[in-house]
Amino acid sequence: MTSELVARDPGPGIDPDQVPALDDLQIGHLRHIENLANQLPGDWSKMGGVDPGQELFDAYRYQLAYMAYTLGLAQYHWLPAAPSALKPTFEKTVEKMLRRDVWSYWKETSRGARVLDPDITALREPWTDPVVKENIMYSGHLYMMTGMHAALFDDDRYDTPGALTFEWDPVFQGLAPESHVYQRSTLGEVIYWQMVENGWLGVACEPNCIFIVCNQFPMMGFRFEDLRKGTSRAEEATSAYAAAWERRGMYAGNGSFHPFLMVKQDQLAPPGGIAGDAWVASVMNTWNRDVVREVFPRQLRGTLKTGPDGTLSHYSPSVVPQVRAALDAGEPADLPHDTTDLSTDPTFGYIAAALSELGDERVRGLRAHADRFMNPTWENGGLYYPRNDRAWDGEGNRTGVDTMTGNVLLGYSRLNVPDGLWALYNRPWTAEHFAEPRVVSQEGAFDLRRAYYHRDSRTLLLTARPRDGKPTDLSLTVANALPRPWTLSVDGIAVAGSDGPEHSSAVRVVADGDTLHLSTALDSETTLALRWS
């Protein structure tokens, strides 16, 4: 911008400090997600996990889903008036979710395995359709992702025929390519009827195993579908699900969630510790908040270890019983870590996600630990914590990072707010929001820190800054412009208006019906305030 544009007062009636604004770290996490989403098809750089078969909790599907959820939280809580900023990246995550690289594991997994079905004597015939039956660990996320997209962007593109099509077309396998054609609502139907058939205990992930956590995500999907269709399936599903598990028993003797039910054996798996508890709590809070807030503090008790300068990390499962016993006895409970535990699963990230959702300030201690011991790295404007298979450093500090935690979950915790996901479920945007002025397209190498429509003063407030400190041209398209005289201020100085020249030396504005096109040069952080009288 020109040197005359220095003031930052957005105008009367608005305290800019009360308007949500992304900080540098949050912008860094969003840039990293954008960088990953824009990698070429088949390029999974920085996303590779320890397992080659996409079977563990750092699989592409989980990273992509949580990338979308992080973008969704940022859209709702931080940039509500600029779908242009995050929607393209959100759609890239869905595009990648549909790639065969992400779901082709299912053909072999569909045959079954003795580890999850001890009584199996023969494998089933495999199938390639990844959503028609079971596999809620994939279909549930895809359903929530596409529903969240509709709810946030007022866009039902994934509910058009063939919008979710799975192409099975390996060159050297099978008799012919296969296409499995779905759209958001038909995907929801498949999930819904499996839940009905299973007595509302949920849909299996792997054959014979219904995981509690994986069935939380389609509940969000049902809710988003209801918002678009005017139905009430989420209420039906959550009520029936809660009743079914009340009968079956969701909790183990120590208060933890059972991870899964083996259906044929009618046998619940023993609790897996804080990893599963935190993951469930972070999502179940959306529809079952009172219960989560009652049980999760007990599940979390004795699992966190205080480190230097207020940092926090989690104990290994082998230590937690000793810590809890010490707490019960009123003794010091600062036990050393078990550095023989070499696992680097997403437990750290799951806890961070849960604490962020429940508004527990201890999430700051976890992030402080990550920033001190987990090698925060900036690359191409993006912030992440690279995978590190070395679980501990020489002083016994936890240093291991999996790709799910390092690429997504720590960023998710920074962009979430207390009850952040709960708000998407319980306080969704309405037609009134979508009728307000908002930025629907943008061009230029810049990041938006603010994008907020202040209803009382009829002001669209935007703060942009060039990427990587390099001057750029900024171009914005503002939809739903009000049929009233308007004034555009840049850093507090009026530069254009409907009653006067629409152009100045600094900015160009073109009105087209209820749309305004704004363009200017941008060489430093700048706040634009578009106010209607």
Side-chain angles (χ1 to χ4, degrees):
M1 304 301 294
T2 60
S3 59
E4 64 184 306
L5 306 177
V6 293
R8 297 187 180 279
D9 180 7
I14 304 176
D15 178 357
D17 291 336
Q18 300 300 314
V19 176
L22 295 167
D23 64 25
D24 291 350
L25 299 181
Q26 291 172 315
I27 290 176
H29 286 300
L30 292 174
R31 283 284 299 277
H32 181 63
I33 289 174
E34 179 183 313
N35 294 340
L36 295 179
N38 283 326
Q39 291 183 141
L40 294 174
D43 182 355
W44 300 100
S45 300
K46 300 182 178 63
M47 297 179 69
V50 296
D51 176 73
Q54 298 299 301
E55 293 186 292
L56 301 182
F57 295 119
D58 55 3
Y60 299 151
R61 61 185 177 278
Y62 299 125
Q63 294 186 61
L64 291 168
Y66 269 85
M67 287 162 62
Y69 306 154
T70 303
L71 295 167
L73 290 168
Q75 181 66 54
Y76 184 92
H77 294 290
W78 297 99
L79 298 173
S84 59
L86 303 175
K87 186 180 179 187
T89 304
F90 196 116
E91 290 167 359
K92 284 284 187 180
T93 67
V94 177
E95 179 182 323
K96 286 186 179 296
M97 195 76 168
L98 296 176
R99 283 187 57 82
R100 182 160 53 86
D101 324 31
V102 176
W103 52 266
S104 61
Y105 69 89
W106 181 250
K107 180 179 180 182
E108 191 60 28
T109 302
S110 67
R111 306 183 73 194
R114 187 162 288 168
V115 68
L116 296 175
D117 187 353
D119 301 325
I120 196 171
T121 57
L123 297 179
R124 305 186 304 188
E125 286 296 316
W127 64 89
T128 60
D129 185 333
V131 302
V132 68
K133 182 180 179 183
E134 304 167 343
N135 202 17
I136 197 69
M137 58 190 172
Y138 171 81
S139 61
H141 284 290
L142 183 62
Y143 189 43
M144 175 169 163
M145 292 168 72
T146 53
M148 179 182 282
H149 177 279
L152 289 174
F153 301 117
D154 193 27
D155 184 341
D156 288 309
R157 69 180 57 198
Y158 297 117
D159 200 28
T160 57
L164 304 178
T165 295
F166 307 97
E167 301 286 0
W168 178 264
D169 55 356
V171 177
F172 302 119
Q173 297 182 34
L175 300 176
E178 301 173 35
S179 293
H180 308 296
V181 180
Y182 292 85
Q183 60 194 68
R184 190 191 70 226
S185 56
T186 58
L187 175 60
E189 285 295 306
V190 167
I191 294 171
Y192 172 83
W193 285 110
Q194 287 182 86
M195 287 199 173
V196 173
E197 292 165 3
N198 293 335
W200 287 106
L201 289 169
V203 181
C205 294
E206 294 85 1
N208 195 47
C209 287
I210 296 177
F211 278 72
I212 289 175
V213 67
C214 294
N215 282 277
Q216 304 310 306
F217 302 95
M219 299 300 179
M220 291 283 286
F222 289 140
R223 174 60 174 155
F224 294 137
E225 191 78 47
D226 288 342
L227 295 174
R228 305 304 292 178
K229 300 291 179 62
T231 50
S232 57
R233 186 162 280 182
E235 182 178 352
E236 175 193 6
T238 55
S239 297
Y241 178 85
W245 277 99
E246 176 70 23
R247 293 189 295 272
R248 186 61 190 83
M250 181 174 280
Y251 306 100
N254 67 353
S256 281
F257 294 108
H258 285 290
F260 60 87
L261 170 70
M262 290 194 288
V263 179
K264 290 181 186 174
Q265 294 75 19
D266 191 27
Q267 180 178 335
L268 291 162
I274 192 58
D277 293 337
W279 197 8
V280 171
S282 68
V283 190
M284 186 186 281
N285 186 60
T286 57
W287 64 270
N288 204 16
R289 185 169 63 169
D290 291 346
V291 169
V292 167
R293 287 174 182 273
E294 178 186 348
V295 303
F296 185 66
R298 296 199 296 268
Q299 296 168 336
L300 186 65
R301 180 174 178 264
T303 65
L304 298 179
K305 176 177 174 56
T306 301
D309 301 323
T311 57
L312 288 173
S313 59
H314 65 89
Y315 284 112
S316 299
S318 58
V319 183
V320 172
Q322 301 170 54
V323 177
R324 289 178 173 169
L327 290 171
D328 290 343
E331 299 172 352
D334 185 21
L335 275 65
H337 276 302
D338 175 8
T339 56
T340 66
D341 176 9
L342 302 182
S343 61
T344 56
D345 59 30
T347 301
F348 194 97
Y350 293 149
I351 299 173
L355 296 186
S356 70
E357 177 69 17
L358 272 64
D360 190 320
E361 287 295 316
R362 284 175 288 183
V363 70
R364 297 179 184 275
L366 286 177
R367 291 198 294 256
H369 177 96
D371 289 339
R372 183 162 176 168
F373 298 111
M374 294 181 168
N375 189 27
T377 298
W378 289 85
E379 184 174 312
N380 192 24
L383 171 62
Y384 73 113
Y385 302 81
R387 172 182 160 183
N388 180 10
D389 292 355
R390 186 186 178 204
W392 311 95
D393 66 13
E395 286 72 47
N397 298 300
R398 185 177 289 279
T399 56
V401 183
D402 64 286
T403 51
M404 182 73 174
T405 296
N407 283 330
V408 199
L409 288 175
L410 285 168
Y412 177 101
S413 77
R414 269 206 173 95
L415 284 146
N416 199 8
V417 302
D419 282 325
L421 206 56
W422 178 91
L424 268 71
Y425 189 98
N426 293 281
R427 296 174 180 168
W429 283 336
T430 64
E432 183 181 19
H433 169 83
F434 295 115
E436 293 175 338
R438 55 181 179 152
V439 181
V440 294
S441 70
Q442 63 182 65
E443 294 182 12
F446 61 88
D447 291 306
L448 282 175
R449 290 192 59 210
R450 283 192 185 97
Y452 184 80
Y453 179 68
H454 191 263
R455 195 171 295 166
D456 293 342
S457 64
R458 291 192 286 270
T459 302
L460 179 62
L461 190 63
L462 308 166
T463 298
R465 70 179 183 186
R467 286 189 165 181
D468 308 318
K470 299 176 181 177
T472 185
D473 291 327
L474 173 149
S475 178
L476 304 172
T477 300
V478 177
N480 303 330
L482 304 181
R484 292 168 171 269
W486 55 266
T487 302
L488 176 65
S489 298
V490 179
D491 284 338
I493 299 175
V495 298
S498 55
D499 296 333
E502 294 185 350
H503 305 160
S504 72
S505 60
V507 63
R508 174 183 175 85
V509 183
V510 175
D512 180 14
D514 66 350
T515 300
L516 295 177
H517 302 277
L518 284 65
S519 57
T520 186
L522 187 72
D523 58 19
S524 62
E525 183 169 303
T526 300
T527 295
L528 298 90
L530 186 57
R531 179 182 292 252
W532 287 266
S533 63

